[in-house]
Amino acid sequence: MLSLAAEASPDPTTWVLALALAIYVVGVLGIVIPVLPGLLLCVGAVLLWATETGGTIAWVTLGVVAVIYLMCLALQFLLPGRRMKREGVGGVTLALGVVGAIIGFFVIPGVGLPIGFVVGVLVSEYLRYRDWDRAWSATKSALRGVLHSMGIELGAALLIAITWTVGILAH
């Protein structure tokens, strides 16, 4: 009788996997709409799955995902950051762009985040150089850097999804 009750209860792995997939989807959305730490949520989803699933395959999958995440961080630091510095966009400019994005997010719901970023960078660079053409050039460079960074994160999210799928199927 006791074994029948155990068979009737839902499989907790299914619920954990569904929750982890939902977290992963929110993570990918967080990459595209940079309000949440998107890629970190994707790694957290795999961590949740590995913790609840257990076993060598789950932990190896998590280890590979962690390596992909660390490689993504390194690429984001090296490629877009180096290019922006080479083109004269400084850290203060990017910080003011982020402040502008946060303000824009609340002032113009929906589209204010990218608009605020552009305005923040443009104003910062104009105050720095006192030349609209040079400020606009630096703003375009900052936008390219942000888009490259987003592309790197989306690529890493895809590699994480593939790795996780292989881990799920192998488990």
Side-chain angles (χ1 to χ4, degrees), residues 21-42:
L21 284 171
I23 292 170
Y24 188 87
V25 168
V26 170
V28 171
L29 290 175
I31 293 170
V32 178
I33 306 166
V35 177
L36 301 170
L39 198 58
L40 195 56
L41 283 174
C42 294

Side-chain angles (χ1 to χ4, degrees), residues 141-162:
S141 176
L143 285 173
R144 276 192 303 274
V146 168
L147 290 174
H148 284 132
S149 179
M150 190 181 297
I152 291 168
E153 276 194 62
L154 286 171
L158 177 62
L159 287 174
I160 288 171
I162 292 167

Side-chain angles (χ1 to χ4, degrees), residues 59-80:
W59 291 111
V60 168
T61 301
L62 179 63
V64 172
V65 164
V67 169
I68 292 169
Y69 176 72
L70 292 174
M71 287 174 43
C72 175
L73 290 180
L75 285 174
Q76 282 182 304
F77 177 74
L78 293 175
L79 299 181

Side-chain angles (χ1 to χ4, degrees), residues 97-169:
V98 169
V99 169
I102 292 169
I103 293 169
F105 178 76
F106 290 107
V107 173
I108 310 170
V111 295
L113 194 119
I115 292 171
F117 178 78
V118 169
V119 169
V121 170
L122 184 62
V123 168
S124 172
E125 288 298 300
Y126 177 75
L127 292 174
R128 183 174 169 194
Y129 295 119
R130 303 281 186 214
D131 178 14
W132 284 111
D133 290 334
R134 194 166 180 189
W136 182 243
S137 176
T139 302
K140 290 189 297 186
S141 176
L143 285 173
R144 276 192 303 274
V146 168
L147 290 174
H148 284 132
S149 179
M150 190 181 297
I152 291 168
E153 276 194 62
L154 286 171
L158 177 62
L159 287 174
I160 288 171
I162 292 167
T163 303
W164 189 19
T165 301
V166 169
I168 290 169
L169 293 175

